[in-house]
Amino acid sequence: MIITPKASTLNYVKASLTLLLFVLSSFTNAQNVKVVTGSIIDAKTKSEVSEVNLRILNADSTKIYEGETNADGVFAFENIPFGNYSLIVDDETYNRLIIPFSLKEENALGFTFTPFEVGRKVTWMFDWGDAFGKEHYWSHLLAKIIMIIYFACLFLVLFYSILQVTLAITYVKNKKKKKEEVLPVFDPNNTPKVTIQLPMFNELYVADRIIETVANFDYPSDKFQIQVLDDSTDETVDVIAKKVAEIKARGINIQHIHRTDRTGYKAGALDDAMDQVEGEFIGIFDADFVPNPDFLQKVMPYFRDEKVGVVQTRWGHINKDYSLLTELQAFGLNGHFAIEQGGRTAAGHFINFNGTGGVWRKTCIEDAGGWEHDTLTEDLDLSYRAQIKGWRFEYREDVIAPAELPVTMSALKSQQHRWMKGGAECFIKMWKQLATAKGVRISDRVHGLSHLFNSSVFIFILIIALLSLVLLHIKDSFSDLNYVIRYGAFFLISTVFLGYYYWQSYRDKTGHPIKDFFKFIGRFFIFLMVSMGLSLNNSVAVIEGYLGIKSSFVRTPKFNLAANHNAEENRYDKKSLSILNIGEGLLFLLFLGTAINRAIYGDLGMVPFHLMLAYGFGVVFYHSIKELRGVKTK
């Protein structure tokens, strides 16, 4: 028999089940947090970011809740049970971030995260994703390699500045001692015969002036010879021939030696004329020099010491006040001719003959192997070969050989290119010999190698400049590397050391310490900035030198502004748009844009450095283009 429940009984059961489900449902909801919410901010822009992917992971199970931020940067997860969790930012654009948190009964109505920041990933640095269990392993590794290179260059610049400041300290100490120095007296009756060599190549504007200047030297005529070493290919040949004939008619011993084969350039001309040298000593002047009549009277007494192979004098600047460009060149050259030459001499280290404004003992040249033309700086090459042989060089800061400074950016860059490339060539040629030569002190080796290598500083400056841009992105992307980047500020001490170096050689002091100091600070930082701007031009030259890329000897155009007031009319000052000009312009825009961008976002750490770079590249680019436009509008 089948028993059928009564309707009232069925209704009771249904009501009981409904009540039970309601109670269970209420109990379940009582174990959940109604909503877990928060907001995310971009670490760089400081603004809320949308569509950032997040996950909530239960620590006690594999349960995962997924979501993303809305247009206001807000995220919300509903009905999350009590327990221990991790909020994970897991997004393609932003760095992975894990925030542990716990949900308890007191959070039943809601749990809110304090707004937090996330940084962008380094997608431009090979964003290869997870590897070896680490987030973006290869990007992180590349960042570390870049930082190692960056700090290595900073260290090398610091090492260079330390050597320079030690020379400055030695110079200052020695300068105090020199106040008691007794200078040798010139004796015209017992002075040796001297040959003055004037190497020239197409020096139309200054050939007359240098020949006339040297012909007026106050030195016994029977102990004096002039050789005009002329490699010219234009009407300069006729100008020189006419002037030499005029000087010869005065009874002065002078020869015009003209080569039609310019093999070896300046070094080749000097070497070819050696068999016609009558003097025991050889003075050399470039065509833009205007030495005083008593030059030999001041120099020759120092050769009484038979170990002295060279007497080098300080360069003066006859057109220092022509423009800011010439003032900056004088500022830099004064550092070399005071601290480097003076400091090295005082410490007994090797110095260099500067190619002009000095006198050689002929036997010193011959003993060292003679003039060689496998580098663009034959003077530096021969200087080191001679000193390794044991010859001593005497530097006289008190004897001045006035000269003309380049007045155009194109002329300056041409001169800098030759000096920097020649220095690198000499380093490649001489470093092993200097490092292994017997009888050379360790300190002389260190300073000598640094001297030969110092043109490479421009490569380090350029690398530091370019990598500083990358470092900003590393700073944004890898919070764990930020503490290392902060140590870069320590290397600002290099600027302090260089400031001391140039202060000791600063020759525009008026006796008013405060006024002089502030004027110096302005000039010093402008000099640093323009030097930074020349780093691309000079780095290319140094790299060419290290790679053995040969080029012709491009002599610096001479202007003789006293006779030719318009510098743009110089036919020898070749100007043309090059890829380096374009590169300097692009670097100007790049560093200026970066400085402005970082200043807007309040990240000021590298803004001063990038503004200095922008100014330097901007000045070099502006003057290069301005001079180029002047040529095109003629």
Side-chain angles (χ1 to χ4, degrees):
M1 180 176 69
I2 300 174
I3 300 176
T4 303
K6 294 182 178 179
S8 58
T9 304
L10 289 173
N11 290 336
Y12 175 78
V13 172
K14 288 181 179 178
S16 299
L17 289 173
T18 300
L19 179 63
L20 178 61
L21 290 173
F22 175 77
V23 171
L24 289 173
S25 175
S26 299
F27 179 78
T28 301
N29 287 335
Q31 303 299 311
N32 291 349
V33 174
K34 189 173 182 179
V35 62
V36 175
T37 187
S39 60
I40 296 180
I41 300 171
D42 188 295
K44 179 179 179 181
T45 64
K46 305 302 180 184
S47 59
E48 295 80 8
V49 286
S50 62
E51 299 181 350
V52 176
N53 294 318
L54 304 103
R55 292 183 294 157
I56 289 181
L57 175 66
N58 191 309
D60 302 320
S61 70
T62 58
K63 182 67 175 176
I64 297 175
Y65 303 86
E66 296 184 350
E68 66 177 25
T69 57
N70 62 18
D72 297 319
V74 176
F75 61 86
F77 295 87
E78 297 180 350
N79 297 322
I80 307 298
F82 297 155
N84 298 316
Y85 293 90
S86 293
L87 176 66
I88 303 172
V89 176
D90 189 14
D91 192 77
E92 293 182 356
T93 304
Y94 290 91
N95 288 323
R96 184 181 178 90
L97 181 66
I98 301 175
I99 304 175
F101 70 101
S102 297
L103 299 178
K104 302 177 181 178
E105 291 182 9
E106 59 264 31
N107 307 124
L109 296 178
F111 181 92
T112 302
F113 283 92
T114 302
F116 57 89
E117 297 181 351
V118 290
R120 290 179 178 270
K121 290 179 178 177
V122 197
T123 55
W124 48 268
M125 277 198 338
F126 310 115
D127 184 7
W128 295 332
D130 293 343
F132 301 102
K134 297 183 179 180
E135 177 73 8
H136 297 281
Y137 174 85
W138 295 109
S139 296
H140 206 275
L141 178 62
L142 181 60
K144 290 179 179 178
I145 293 171
I146 289 171
M147 290 179 63
I148 289 171
I149 296 172
Y150 178 81
F151 278 95
C153 289
L154 282 177
F155 176 78
L156 289 169
V157 172
L158 175 61
F159 180 73
Y160 167 78
S161 66
I162 290 173
L163 290 180
Q164 299 302 87
V165 81
T166 59
L167 290 175
I169 293 170
T170 303
Y171 169 79
V172 172
K173 291 180 179 178
N174 187 65
K175 196 172 183 179
K176 294 177 181 178
K177 295 179 182 178
K178 275 197 169 185
K179 292 180 179 179
E180 304 173 359
E181 182 182 22
V182 178
L183 301 179
V185 179
F186 175 69
D187 181 2
N189 297 318
N190 294 295
T191 193
K193 188 165 187 176
V194 179
T195 296
I196 301 295
Q197 294 184 323
L198 307 176
M200 297 192 203
F201 173 68
N202 293 349
E203 305 288 7
L204 183 62
Y205 301 107
V206 292
D208 263 7
R209 185 181 66 182
I210 181 59
I211 295 172
E212 181 66 32
T213 299
V214 172
N216 289 327
F217 271 4
D218 187 2
Y219 200 77
S221 58
D222 61 327
K223 298 178 179 179
F224 187 57
Q225 177 195 20
I226 302 174
Q227 289 183 333
V228 183
L229 311 181
D230 180 19
D231 283 1
S232 301
T233 56
D234 63 3
E235 61 265 45
T236 305
V237 178
D238 298 326
V239 171
I240 292 175
K242 181 179 178 181
K243 191 64 180 179
V244 168
E246 176 190 324
I247 299 298
K248 188 175 291 187
R250 300 184 204 169
I252 296 175
N253 182 4
I254 184 171
Q255 288 86 41
H256 179 196
I257 303 174
H258 180 234
R259 294 196 313 166
T260 55
D261 178 6
R262 203 178 168 220
T263 299
Y265 306 107
K266 180 180 176 180
L270 294 169
D271 188 52
D272 285 353
M274 283 294 286
D275 59 354
Q276 301 179 56
V277 168
E278 299 174 7
E280 302 169 54
F281 296 88
I282 302 172
I284 301 173
F285 292 98
D286 286 345
D288 54 335
F289 274 68
V290 191
N292 296 320
D294 63 350
F295 179 86
L296 290 179
Q297 293 185 20
K298 292 180 177 179
V299 168
M300 295 312 297
Y302 293 98
F303 283 106
R304 290 172 189 164
D305 182 344
E306 294 185 356
K307 294 181 180 179
V308 172
V310 169
V311 176
Q312 174 66 53
T313 65
R314 176 166 66 88
W315 291 5
H317 317 294
I318 60 178
N319 61 334
K320 169 184 169 293
D321 298 323
Y322 178 80
S323 67
L324 177 63
L325 188 62
T326 56
E327 286 186 21
L328 294 177
Q329 291 177 73
F331 184 90
L333 286 171
N334 287 344
H336 170 74
F337 280 100
I339 310 303
E340 286 195 318
Q341 296 289 60
R344 288 192 182 110
T345 298
H349 301 318
F350 291 177
I351 67 170
N352 64 297
F353 170 65
N354 293 106
T356 177
V359 179
W360 283 83
R361 190 186 296 268
K362 184 180 179 182
T363 53
C364 174
I365 296 176
E366 294 169 341
D367 183 53
W371 296 105
E372 296 179 357
H373 46 79
D374 52 350
T375 72
L376 290 178
T377 46
E378 73 293 326
D379 45 7
L380 179 61
D381 172 24
L382 183 57
S383 296
Y384 269 77
R385 284 188 280 121
Q387 289 169 103
I388 288 174
K389 280 275 190 176
W391 290 96
R392 187 165 66 82
F393 281 28
E394 179 76 22
Y395 172 66
R396 299 306 309 178
E397 186 182 0
D398 56 315
V399 184
I400 303 172
E404 184 178 287
L405 295 162
V407 298
T408 64
M409 184 60 70
S410 56
L412 172 61
K413 289 167 78 172
S414 174
Q415 183 187 69
Q416 288 285 307
H417 185 277
R418 188 178 76 249
W419 287 354
M420 297 303 113
K421 183 173 182 177
E425 290 174 334
C426 283
F427 178 81
I428 294 297
K429 178 179 179 179
M430 297 297 302
W431 77 268
K432 287 183 180 178
Q433 186 176 347
L434 177 59
T436 59
K438 295 181 180 179
V440 179
R441 297 180 303 173
I442 294 178
S443 61
D444 293 342
R445 296 185 202 276
V446 172
H447 277 274
L449 290 171
S450 172
H451 184 193
L452 293 173
F453 190 66
N454 65 13
S455 60
S456 301
V457 168
F458 285 100
I459 294 181
F460 305 145
I461 292 172
L462 185 61
I463 292 174
I464 290 169
L466 295 175
L467 291 189
S468 69
L469 300 172
V470 183
L471 223 67
L472 290 176
H473 293 285
I474 293 175
K475 176 175 174 287
D476 293 341
S477 304
F478 300 112
S479 58
D480 60 316
L481 298 179
N482 280 350
Y483 79 97
V484 179
I485 295 174
R486 294 191 190 102
Y487 287 112
F490 167 77
F491 292 92
L492 289 174
I493 196 171
S494 297
T495 306
V496 177
F497 288 161
L498 291 175
Y500 178 80
Y501 169 93
Y502 282 106
W503 171 251
Q504 296 302 330
S505 65
Y506 185 54
R507 295 190 175 276
D508 291 335
K509 297 174 183 175
T510 62
H512 299 87
I514 296 178
K515 180 181 177 181
D516 289 342
F517 179 74
F518 281 104
K519 184 179 179 181
F520 164 78
I521 290 296
R523 182 68 73 244
F524 173 63
F525 277 100
I526 294 174
F527 171 77
L528 283 185
M529 290 186 286
V530 175
S531 296
M532 291 176 180
L534 288 168
S535 63
L536 179 60
N537 176 81
N538 292 356
S539 293
V540 170
V542 174
I543 292 170
E544 286 181 1
Y546 286 143
L547 294 179
I549 299 174
K550 296 300 180 182
S551 58
S552 61
F553 184 103
V554 181
R555 63 108 173 95
T556 306
K558 318 300 191 305
F559 292 84
N560 194 3
L561 294 174
N564 175 27
H565 296 285
N566 190 348
E568 292 183 352
E569 294 180 359
N570 192 308
R571 67 167 71 175
Y572 305 124
D573 189 17
K574 304 298 182 182
K575 304 177 180 73
S576 61
L577 183 65
S578 71
I579 192 167
L580 289 183
N581 297 143
I582 297 172
E584 288 156 354
L586 291 175
L587 288 173
F588 158 67
L589 294 174
L590 180 60
F591 288 115
L592 179 62
T594 301
I596 293 173
N597 176 265
R598 287 284 160 167
I600 290 173
Y601 289 117
D603 185 8
L604 304 179
M606 285 193 179
V607 168
F609 179 53
H610 288 150
L611 285 176
M612 291 176 68
L613 287 163
Y615 178 89
F617 284 111
V619 166
V620 173
F621 175 71
Y622 169 76
H623 284 284
S624 298
I625 298 302
K626 180 183 176 183
E627 293 169 10
L628 183 63
R629 289 185 61 189
V631 171
K632 289 183 176 181
T633 55
K634 287 183 181 179

